[in-house]
Amino acid sequence: MRKVLAVALKEMRQASRDPLTLALLLGIPAAMLLLYGYALNFDVRHVALAVQDRDGSAGSRELIASFTNSTYFDRAADLPAGSDLDGVLERRLARAVLVIPENYARDLDEGRRARVQLLLDGADANTATTVLGTSSAVVADANTAILRKALPDQQLRTSRVIDYEPRAWYNPELKSTQFLVPGLIGFILMLTSVLSTALSVVREKERGTMEQLRVTSLRPAELILGKTLPYLGIALVAMGIILLVARALFAVQVRGPLLDLFATTLLYLFGALGFGLLISSFADSQAIAFQVGSVFATLPAIFLSGFIFPIRSMPRLLQWLTYAFPTRYFLVILRGIILKGASLAPYRRDLLFLTIYAGVIFGLAWFRLTRKAD
Amino acid sequence: MNVLLRIIVKEFLQLRQDRKIIPVLVIGPLVQLLALGFAANTDVKNVPLLLIDQDRTRESRELADRFVASGYFRLAGAAETVRQIDPWLVRGDAQIALVIGAGFGKTVNASRSGARELMPRVQVIADGSDANSAVVGMGYASSIISGFGAERLQARLVRQVEQAQPTGLTRLEPVPRPGPVPSIELVPRVFYNPDLKSRWFYLPAILALVLMLTTMILPSMAVVREKEIGTLEQLSVTPVRPWQLIAGKLFPFAIIGFVDLILVSLLVVWVFGVPLRGSFALLACLTMLFLANTLGLGLLVSTLVRTQQQAMMTSVFVLMVPMIYLSGLIFPIENMPGPIQHATRAIPLRYYNDIIRGIFLRGSGIAVLWPDAVALAAFGALFVSLASFRFRKTLD
């Protein structure tokens, strides 16, 4: 145990001589949280809307006003009749063009159907979908208003259609910082433990210092533990920073038991550290270790974990593939503990998978590294 | 020129010597593209829905059926009261709960205004811990509900308007009735991506990701590696001039970047069916400008750090991640706060993003894309000269 500590101390000293990396490892999570908290969101507002009003009547102006008053649209341009509508979209002067035909007001007055065109730039499909939904809602409201005006029944004029009440539990304002915290923890832990461990071992290989360590009286197991423990520590500190920043700036609190959170994190970290060691056992250069680590550890932690892209929307094959990466299970548990205030009890299955993953990967890495050393 | 060629050859030899790097350089991007190509999809489908139907009428069943028939929701189970929702959401067995209040069926169809006090009540409760899916899922839910409500209201109102029309009057001519009630019809026409597939939006962006990885991060690590091993010093005492050294070091990565461009474009078009509407030649030319940016930045990083690990961390987290987030690659720029929108102008990826999407989806030519091209060229020149300047200093 003393030898393990000695190696760990050496590793720590080495890490502290590289304050840039350390600062990045610890500072990145906070920076990403700030970025998400203040700069990024999925709410679509202020969509640039160009208007071509060929009717120019009070009625058409009213429809335009109901678009701009919805706060989703900013009136970006007024296009004269006959202007190049496609060009407006292609040059991205506007996301959408509302075209109101001649006779719009007359058609409505005479009880006919007036057709209004909406040209949409679909290149950003997400925004376009929202814009489409919002515009349909605006037009539906306008339709209801028109109908009500035609009604004799005073009471019906003011009635609402359905008392519809949408609610989001656990994150009522649907803030992205809330859901980001678990995902970010999963990603940062993966990054620090897999890449840092792999690179630090491979670096010693590249420089030949690994050989020097091998001829000392250290047993391989002691060497492995000594090399991984400091990164375990750094990863835990990074996680602590995320939780503190999230709490201080975005009021995200851990609602479930901290002990369960800690235990799950340790389990996840063991798997990740094991994966880093496994990479280092066959990679000869840091460039390879980095590429393998990012393809099989950090990228899946972002893209195949349900962090950003919902797993249910993936093709079947890819959904199965997500079971091979631990972040999937980890995120389910983290979201439960941090946001829903649950304990580990509902997540036995995910916990079991995490345990199996950690056991298999760490075992493999252990096997390869200890055998190689002899 | 001869010297330059030799350095390039040496770099390629070195790359080849490092046996595992070539497959890693080619397979890495491929795996990324395939995995991301299939995963990158924010369309929400099959959201597990918990139904709490306290009304149990034909109307409430019809509303629930509409949820399932929309394809966005999958019926995961049913419960009696709102209190039973929590365990379903906690376990993740359901992501959204639809609560149809008692009396829904009676009130939604009431044509008499006497029943006004009782409004049809519907509640949708979503698991907000996954905010992305929750936002989209709730959007679908509300459009289904308001569609349902609007239809019923429309029917009710039409009945009333018709009833209110004087019936006993003789009309001189029959009134044409294409629709008895005035209404506005919205005819949407979606350009460039008519089915609104989010995959079409994300996939071309992966090209930028792959290029940044191979032409920014890896070169920065490669140069630092020579620093670490000490061979950079050896090269600096030879008659090779610094610019030749730089060009020779970066050239192979530019070639790899180009191979990746071709590979990724082929896959994006053939495997994923994303259209390439503009000219590939233009894309290749403008990609060259982008590579000047990434290679310049990679080299700049290599002059600022000592170890490969630092190079990796700096180029990934100080450059790549903020660039991805603030370039409009994933998050639309117009959703950001004003000052940040202006700050994004300093990010070269923003212009390349415009170019990629312009050429792939909108079929834009240089007539539209020239401002982006000019910006990319300017930033490229800036980064390359800055990097060369610093690189020369490290050599001296």
Side-chain angles (χ1 to χ4, degrees):
Chain A
M1 200 60 216
R2 281 227 332 253
K3 283 180 189 164
V4 173
L5 228 71
V7 177
L9 224 83
K10 162 207 157 280
E11 199 63 28
M12 279 301 237
R13 207 169 294 152
Q14 221 161 7
S16 70
R17 254 186 246 141
D18 185 357
L20 180 65
T21 307
L22 210 57
L24 282 173
L25 280 178
L26 298 178
I28 288 158
M32 281 180 78
L33 209 55
L34 287 176
L35 197 65
Y36 265 92
Y38 291 121
L40 309 176
N41 60 74
F42 287 105
D43 302 345
V44 178
R45 296 259 156 179
H46 305 295
V47 173
L49 177 76
V51 176
Q52 187 179 52
D53 185 357
R54 295 191 199 152
D55 194 34
S57 61
S60 66
R61 275 191 293 275
E62 196 178 321
L63 183 67
I64 296 169
S66 50
F67 267 85
T68 45
N69 290 344
S70 71
T71 73
Y72 289 102
F73 297 96
D74 288 346
R75 194 167 175 171
D78 287 297
L79 308 171
S83 53
D84 171 24
L85 297 181
D86 299 17
V88 173
L89 291 186
E90 197 191 343
R91 282 165 202 277
R92 281 171 291 113
L93 302 173
R95 282 255 192 206
V97 184
L98 179 70
V99 184
I100 302 180
E102 299 91 352
N103 303 333
Y104 166 83
R106 214 179 65 202
D107 282 347
L108 286 184
D109 282 344
E110 293 173 4
R112 278 195 296 267
R113 173 165 287 212
R115 293 166 70 103
V116 172
Q117 231 187 5
L118 186 77
L119 311 184
L120 260 181
D121 176 0
D124 177 352
N126 296 339
T127 307
T129 307
T130 315
V131 171
L132 202 55
T134 320
S135 327
S136 314
V138 168
V139 170
D141 280 350
N143 266 327
T144 318
I146 289 173
L147 271 176
R148 280 187 177 145
K149 261 189 231 159
L151 269 187
D153 185 335
Q154 200 64 51
Q155 258 181 311
L156 207 54
R157 278 191 198 176
T158 51
S159 72
R160 276 168 70 193
V161 191
I162 290 181
D163 180 17
Y164 164 58
E165 186 185 356
R167 260 199 210 154
W169 282 5
Y170 319 121
N171 179 10
E173 290 161 61
L174 288 170
K175 283 191 184 147
S176 36
T177 38
Q178 297 261 352
F179 99 99
L180 182 78
V181 170
L184 204 54
I185 291 176
F187 167 68
I188 289 293
L189 293 187
M190 200 38 114
L191 181 90
T192 41
S193 37
V194 172
L195 284 186
S196 305
T197 320
L199 289 187
S200 88
V201 175
V202 174
R203 179 163 62 178
E204 300 227 19
K205 261 172 141 182
E206 274 188 345
R207 291 189 178 166
T209 47
M210 200 61 174
E211 304 249 280
Q212 289 172 16
L213 281 174
R214 283 215 186 103
V215 293
T216 58
S217 64
L218 282 171
R219 263 177 291 161
E222 291 166 343
L223 186 59
I224 294 171
L225 280 183
K227 283 226 92 101
T228 44
L229 280 180
Y231 291 101
L232 192 80
I234 293 176
L236 285 175
V237 173
M239 174 170 172
I241 291 178
I242 297 178
L243 289 177
L244 282 179
V245 171
R247 181 167 187 158
L249 295 180
F250 304 109
V252 180
Q253 292 189 30
V254 180
R255 299 195 184 124
L258 278 173
L259 193 68
D260 291 15
L261 183 66
F262 184 67
T264 320
T265 308
L266 266 188
L267 198 58
Y268 178 69
L269 277 178
F270 265 105
L273 290 169
F275 194 67
L277 288 174
L278 194 60
I279 293 175
S280 73
S281 72
F282 56 79
D284 306 321
S285 72
Q286 292 185 59
I288 290 179
F290 167 69
Q291 273 281 35
V292 174
S294 39
V295 168
F296 292 103
T298 45
L299 285 176
I302 303 177
F303 294 103
L304 297 179
S305 61
F307 174 19
I308 299 177
F309 302 111
I311 293 174
R312 269 186 293 274
S313 303
M314 297 175 190
R316 210 24 78 69
L317 198 70
L318 211 63
Q319 290 196 21
W320 288 335
L321 196 60
T322 61
Y323 287 105
F325 298 103
T327 317
R328 178 200 166 120
Y329 315 108
F330 187 54
L331 280 197
V332 171
I333 303 179
L334 272 194
R335 281 182 177 148
I337 295 180
I338 297 179
L339 299 176
K340 301 179 188 172
S343 68
L344 274 177
Y347 306 113
R348 282 194 205 99
R349 213 189 49 189
D350 299 288
L351 203 63
L352 180 71
F353 273 113
L354 268 186
T355 318
I356 294 173
Y357 181 86
V360 168
I361 294 288
F362 210 88
L364 264 176
W366 190 276
F367 174 74
R368 278 197 58 111
L369 284 172
T370 49
R371 235 189 34 166
K372 229 177 165 178
D374 293 336
Chain B
M1 206 56 219
N2 216 349
V3 185
L4 178 61
L5 207 70
R6 272 191 214 145
I7 305 230
I8 293 174
V9 171
K10 163 205 159 269
E11 284 300 321
F12 267 118
L13 284 177
Q14 213 166 4
L15 273 181
R16 247 199 29 210
Q17 221 178 29
D18 197 350
R19 276 284 171 75
K20 289 171 188 163
I21 195 90
I22 292 291
V24 164
L25 279 179
V26 178
I27 294 170
L30 282 187
V31 171
Q32 276 167 39
L33 180 73
L34 288 173
L36 303 193
F38 286 116
N41 189 349
T42 37
D43 308 343
V44 174
K45 281 189 299 189
N46 300 327
V47 178
L49 174 83
L50 178 68
L51 177 65
I52 297 165
D53 185 354
Q54 295 165 337
D55 189 41
R56 295 180 188 282
T57 57
R58 200 164 53 86
E59 296 295 333
S60 70
R61 269 194 301 277
E62 204 184 313
L63 180 64
D65 285 346
R66 281 205 191 187
F67 270 76
V68 179
S70 70
Y72 300 126
F73 301 95
R74 168 176 69 77
L75 196 62
E80 303 292 321
T81 66
V82 175
R83 226 173 278 157
Q84 289 166 325
I85 297 174
D86 190 56
W88 283 81
L89 294 192
V90 164
R91 280 192 314 255
D93 291 339
Q95 207 173 29
I96 214 161
L98 172 67
V99 187
I100 305 179
F104 173 80
K106 208 159 65 190
T107 44
V108 83
N109 268 337
S111 51
R112 293 288 118 222
S113 32
R116 202 66 314 109
E117 310 312 316
L118 271 171
M119 239 189 294
R121 286 199 54 223
V122 175
Q123 206 178 19
V124 166
I125 294 166
D127 173 359
S129 66
D130 180 355
N132 281 356
S133 314
V135 169
V136 182
M138 285 166 86
Y140 293 144
S142 70
S143 70
I144 291 172
I145 293 170
S146 51
F148 186 84
E151 254 173 54
R152 295 299 141 120
L153 179 73
Q154 209 103 339
R156 225 156 73 200
L157 294 177
V158 167
R159 270 204 305 277
Q160 294 240 338
V161 171
E162 282 172 344
Q163 280 166 13
Q165 258 164 21
T167 41
L169 278 176
T170 40
R171 288 202 176 107
L172 291 178
E173 48 180 322
V175 181
R177 293 183 56 184
V181 196
S183 68
I184 308 169
E185 185 191 3
L186 185 73
V187 189
R189 234 176 87 205
V190 181
F191 283 62
Y192 315 126
N193 181 2
D195 297 329
L196 291 173
K197 290 183 189 154
S198 67
R199 191 169 285 156
W200 284 21
F201 174 61
Y202 290 120
L203 267 176
I206 291 172
L207 179 60
L209 273 182
V210 169
L211 285 181
M212 280 196 288
L213 196 68
T214 46
T215 63
M216 187 169 79
I217 301 176
L218 291 177
S220 74
M221 289 175 78
V223 175
V224 176
R225 185 193 165 134
E226 295 226 22
K227 253 189 181 171
E228 277 188 328
I229 307 176
T231 46
L232 202 60
E233 297 224 300
Q234 289 173 16
L235 279 175
S236 68
V237 293
T238 59
V240 178
R241 276 191 232 128
W243 74 265
Q244 291 170 325
L245 194 57
I246 297 171
K249 273 229 101 59
L250 297 186
F251 189 74
F253 288 101
I255 296 284
I256 294 172
F258 253 87
V259 173
D260 282 338
L261 166 73
I262 294 169
L263 265 177
V264 172
S265 303
L266 284 179
L267 275 174
V268 161
V269 172
W270 282 347
V271 177
F272 296 102
V274 178
L276 174 61
R277 298 204 174 101
S279 123
F280 184 75
L282 181 63
L283 180 64
C285 289
L286 296 181
T287 299
M288 219 133 56
L289 293 181
F290 182 60
L291 290 188
N293 282 272
T294 50
L295 290 170
L297 283 171
L299 189 66
L300 190 61
V301 168
S302 74
T303 63
L304 297 171
V305 301
R306 281 180 302 118
T307 66
Q308 290 185 62
Q309 193 174 5
Q310 288 177 342
M312 185 271 283
M313 299 284 290
T314 315
S315 42
V316 171
F317 290 102
V318 179
L319 295 177
M320 194 164 107
V321 171
M323 274 165 85
I324 289 173
Y325 284 129
L326 296 176
S327 61
L329 208 64
I330 299 173
F331 296 90
I333 292 175
E334 65 248 51
N335 293 359
M336 299 171 188
I340 293 179
Q341 286 192 27
H342 289 296
T344 61
R345 285 180 215 283
I347 293 177
L349 183 57
R350 176 188 166 147
Y351 307 104
Y352 189 55
N353 175 42
D354 287 347
I355 290 170
I356 296 178
R357 296 222 162 98
I359 294 182
F360 267 96
L361 299 179
R362 301 191 183 99
S364 301
I366 193 70
V368 170
L369 297 174
W370 68 266
D372 296 302
V374 169
L376 264 191
F379 275 110
L382 176 72
F383 293 139
V384 167
S385 38
L386 243 161
S388 317
F389 173 71
R390 285 221 35 125
F391 189 71
R392 231 170 274 188
K393 257 182 116 177
T394 32
L395 281 188
D396 293 340

